[in-house]
Amino acid sequence: MFTGIIETTGKIKSISRGTKSLTVSVQAEFDSGLVLGESIAVNGTCLTVTEFGDDWFCADVTPETFNRTSLGQLHTDSVVNLERAMKAGGRFGGHIVSGHIDGTARFLSFSKEENAVNVSVVMEGRLGEFMIEKGSICIDGISLTIARVKKDGSDYIVSVAVIPHTWEHTTLSKKKSGDIVNIECDVIGKYIRHFVELKNDSKDISSFMDFESYH
């Protein structure tokens, strides 16, 4: 479990590529030592530490993760956002983030407005349907609040307001129009939609559970 508050950024040291898989080595410094098998969100994607040293760690990217995320576009010296899993009893500085990427979006544009940087991304309707104004979104592992949602044909343009600290201490400031970013939709919204759809499907609901007994 993560919160979407980026702990630090790291740099890709090396990549071993399969057809649809990766093994990445990431140079990064954390406040405390790593543990073999712990989870680290790399650009919002939950990966498992398989090897580590004083200032680096390795992780595997499976075909499912490769297909769902932008990690396949990483290269040596790419800068990535990093967050270690939240400790039990820790503060939720952002929102509930699982590190399970739902899909990707294209970085569209940014503009500065006083102390904010307004960032817009465009995503397909499958993801856009989960976006609501003042709801939560995770972009490349960064917990953000949705400011505006606009439908554009079958796509959705989603805008967020980024504070100076987040802009300066994450990879957002390095993005260009057309760059691919990872998107995690709000987990609560996903579950609500799933169960509403399940309840409305009489065939599935009869074989799954009796909702009435839970009222």
Side-chain angles (χ1 to χ4, degrees):
M1 187 65 67
F2 305 92
T3 69
I5 303 300
I6 302 304
E7 186 174 349
T8 187
T9 57
K11 185 177 289 187
I12 301 296
K13 289 177 56 179
S14 64
I15 300 180
S16 176
R17 296 184 182 274
T19 304
K20 288 187 177 181
S21 64
L22 303 169
T23 298
V24 294
S25 176
V26 184
Q27 183 177 357
E29 294 186 5
F30 295 98
D31 292 337
S32 58
L34 298 176
V35 176
L36 193 65
E38 77 168 277
S39 297
I40 297 180
V42 179
N43 279 355
T45 309
C46 180
L47 300 179
T48 300
V49 174
T50 57
E51 296 180 67
F52 67 92
D54 291 339
D55 64 349
W56 62 273
F57 68 91
C58 287
D60 293 315
V61 177
T62 64
E64 168 67 13
T65 303
F66 184 95
N67 290 331
R68 289 270 189 170
T69 72
S70 65
L71 297 186
Q73 300 186 15
L74 294 176
H75 52 79
T76 302
D77 293 331
S78 289
V79 179
V80 291
N81 296 322
L82 301 173
E83 181 191 357
R84 299 174 73 174
M86 190 183 97
K87 294 181 179 180
R91 290 190 177 94
F92 264 110
H95 70 278
I96 299 173
V97 177
S98 67
H100 303 157
I101 302 302
D102 294 299
T104 59
R106 286 184 291 109
F107 191 91
L108 192 60
S109 63
F110 74 90
S111 61
K112 295 188 176 181
E113 181 183 8
E114 296 195 17
N115 65 342
V117 180
N118 298 318
V119 172
S120 295
V121 298
V122 59
M123 62 188 69
E124 61 182 25
R126 180 181 64 87
L127 298 179
E129 290 173 359
F130 289 96
M131 303 296 149
I132 61 172
E133 288 190 6
K134 307 310 174 188
S136 297
I137 186 175
C138 205
I139 300 178
D140 269 358
I142 306 165
S143 173
L144 296 164
T145 300
I146 297 169
R148 286 174 296 279
V149 180
K150 177 182 177 182
K151 201 166 187 306
D152 183 23
S154 61
D155 294 332
Y156 285 78
I157 297 174
V158 177
S159 300
V160 297
V162 180
I163 64 172
H165 178 86
T166 302
W167 182 253
E168 294 165 6
H169 291 87
T170 70
T171 60
L172 275 181
S173 61
K174 299 175 175 59
K175 297 299 180 184
K176 304 181 298 296
S177 180
D179 284 352
I180 304 300
V181 293
N182 292 323
I183 299 295
E184 181 179 337
C185 306
D186 180 57
V187 65
I188 297 174
K190 288 189 289 186
Y191 276 107
I192 290 173
R193 177 166 179 172
H194 170 74
F195 287 120
V196 167
E197 290 180 347
L198 191 62
K199 187 173 182 179
N200 290 336
D201 189 329
S202 58
K203 290 183 180 179
D204 287 345
I205 200 64
S206 61
S207 61
F208 181 68
M209 64 167 63
D210 179 10
F211 271 82
E212 297 301 321
S213 65
Y214 286 83
H215 287 177

